[in-house]
Amino acid sequence: MNQNIPLNLYTVNRPLLGTVIESRRLTPDSRGPKNDVRHITFRFEEKLPYLPGQSAGIIVPGTDSRTGKPHKLRLYSIASVGAGDLGDHQTVSLCVVRHFWDNAATGEKGIPGLASSYLCDLKPKDQATMTGPVGRHFLLPEDFKKRDLIFTATGTGIAPYRGMLRELFETGYEGHVALYFGVQYRDVALYDDEFGAIQKRHPNFSYYKAISREETNPNPNEVPTRDNKMYVQALMYVHRDELKKSFEKPDTMIYLCGLKGMEAGIFPVLEQIGAELGEKESFVAKLKSRQQLRIEVY
Ligand code: A2P
């Protein structure tokens, strides 16, 4: 792995002040507040080194009314390449969905999440206090140039791959990378135009979408999904011959980012691929032990 990982350059006690230069909704307004996902870019007075796959902390102003203490730090995956969207190493972009939660104790439903509302309501010229970068696990390997890579994401779990894909294709990547992206509807596929443009330019990038509420899982007996919806794991199963070709190579890496439930869905597909490749023991365990499986779920 990368030996020079920038870590904790800014902390709660020594934070970094960022100015919002862009907050762009990535989904149609017609999808309403629950599908409000924003690409938010912060600019700093100084350079902030980071790697795609790392996270930044956000300090929400004010105090927690229950504890009287400052709000806990929230971490968000960075959605930009190391040089940042402007290419000057002085910006960080985040991909944030407006979150709502239900309070089981009071029965109150649809309560706006504190940090995501704060971030989604920020306007250009607003300032925010940030920390980071953090994370040394969900990174591209240093020797990625010829390795095959499989990226799987649900929803805003797409964030790290946006930066990673730019990193790959801006530095002469020669392997094959496949992105499996699970979204509810076709028109909420985040950064769809960007990924489509990369695919047009680079035949070694395959971009696949699993559109859960518009498509049906063609193999519900082999890969069960809720209400037979098309989930990433169901699409990976359809493509298992192509995935097998990548996993025949000993250094292929697979990344999972998004909803916690992805793991339980994707692991059996990986085990099946392993079995078809002649693995006698757990393929997932092997990939994990060889650092070829990276997971960031929440
Ligand atoms: P769905 O919500 O139709 O059940 P979200 O927008 O909530 O982050 O979800 C992103 C996508 O992940 C949606 O298509 C969602 O489907 C899908 N999804 C939900 N649960 C799982 C799971 N256990 N495994 C894989 N995908 C899932």
Side-chain angles (χ1 to χ4, degrees), residues 89-157:
H89 297 266
Q90 282 179 243
T91 66
V92 145
S93 300
L94 305 180
C95 175
V96 182
V97 62
R98 204 179 274 279
H99 176 67
F100 296 88
W101 60 287
D102 298 339
N103 187 333
T106 63
E108 201 182 343
K109 288 195 184 320
I111 307 163
L114 179 84
S116 70
S117 302
Y118 165 71
L119 285 168
C120 289
D121 289 339
L122 286 173
K123 301 274 175 294
K125 299 204 174 109
D126 284 348
Q127 293 199 309
T129 315
M130 307 179 71
T131 68
V134 294
R136 51 166 82 233
H137 177 71
F138 205 81
L139 304 176
L140 289 170
E142 255 181 328
D143 62 346
F144 62 71
K145 190 160 181 170
K146 291 180 197 285
R147 284 189 195 230
D148 281 9
L149 302 166
I150 297 150
F151 294 160
T152 67
T154 51
T156 51

Side-chain angles (χ1 to χ4, degrees), residues 33-52:
K34 291 214 167 154
N35 265 307
D36 184 1
V37 186
R38 288 178 182 266
H39 182 76
I40 309 169
T41 301
F42 301 88
R43 190 155 203 281
F44 313 109
E45 289 299 318
E46 55 221 88
K47 290 191 193 303
L48 176 70
Y50 61 88
L51 299 170

Side-chain angles (χ1 to χ4, degrees), residues 84-291:
D85 278 7
L86 301 189
D88 61 1
H89 297 266
Q90 282 179 243
T91 66
V92 145
S93 300
L94 305 180
C95 175
V96 182
V97 62
R98 204 179 274 279
H99 176 67
F100 296 88
W101 60 287
D102 298 339
N103 187 333
T106 63
E108 201 182 343
K109 288 195 184 320
I111 307 163
L114 179 84
S116 70
S117 302
Y118 165 71
L119 285 168
C120 289
D121 289 339
L122 286 173
K123 301 274 175 294
K125 299 204 174 109
D126 284 348
Q127 293 199 309
T129 315
M130 307 179 71
T131 68
V134 294
R136 51 166 82 233
H137 177 71
F138 205 81
L139 304 176
L140 289 170
E142 255 181 328
D143 62 346
F144 62 71
K145 190 160 181 170
K146 291 180 197 285
R147 284 189 195 230
D148 281 9
L149 302 166
I150 297 150
F151 294 160
T152 67
T154 51
T156 51
I158 197 68
Y161 305 128
R162 177 178 182 265
M164 287 177 174
L165 285 165
R166 281 189 58 177
E167 166 96 27
L168 294 178
F169 290 112
E170 284 172 5
T171 54
Y173 176 63
E174 293 172 8
H176 183 270
V177 55
L179 170 62
Y180 287 87
F181 187 13
V183 291
Q184 292 178 350
Y185 307 100
R186 194 168 302 276
D187 63 2
V188 299
L190 312 169
Y191 307 113
D192 189 53
D193 49 347
E194 293 187 23
F195 300 141
I198 300 176
Q199 192 173 32
K200 271 202 190 118
R201 282 198 308 274
H202 300 281
N204 55 339
F205 173 46
S206 302
Y207 172 39
Y208 303 117
K209 280 169 279 185
I211 307 183
S212 61
R213 302 192 187 185
E214 294 178 18
E215 298 169 343
T216 309
N217 175 2
N219 301 293
N221 296 327
E222 291 85 347
V223 189
T225 53
R226 198 185 321 142
D227 302 328
N228 295 343
K229 288 185 201 180
M230 182 59 116
Y231 280 175
V232 273
Q233 55 268 35
L235 192 57
M236 291 169 75
Y237 184 82
V238 172
H239 291 192
R240 64 191 181 286
D241 285 342
E242 185 180 320
L243 290 167
K244 247 187 313 193
K245 276 198 200 120
S246 278
F247 280 119
E248 273 168 1
K249 302 177 190 168
D251 59 355
T252 295
M253 296 192 54
I254 176 161
Y255 293 73
L256 274 60
C257 189
L259 298 171
K260 178 110 188 77
M262 288 173 79
E263 285 173 272
I266 291 176
F267 284 0
V269 178
L270 291 178
E271 293 299 2
Q272 165 130 8
I273 289 171
E276 289 180 22
L277 288 172
E279 295 289 340
K280 299 278 178 274
E281 311 283 329
S282 163
F283 189 43
V284 168
K286 178 176 171 180
L287 290 171
K288 270 190 188 162
S289 72
R290 295 166 52 131
Q291 312 274 313

Side-chain angles (χ1 to χ4, degrees), residues 16-27:
L16 176 65
L17 196 63
T19 303
V20 177
I21 57 166
E22 179 183 25
S23 173
R24 169 166 56 96
R25 183 165 169 153
L26 297 172
T27 52

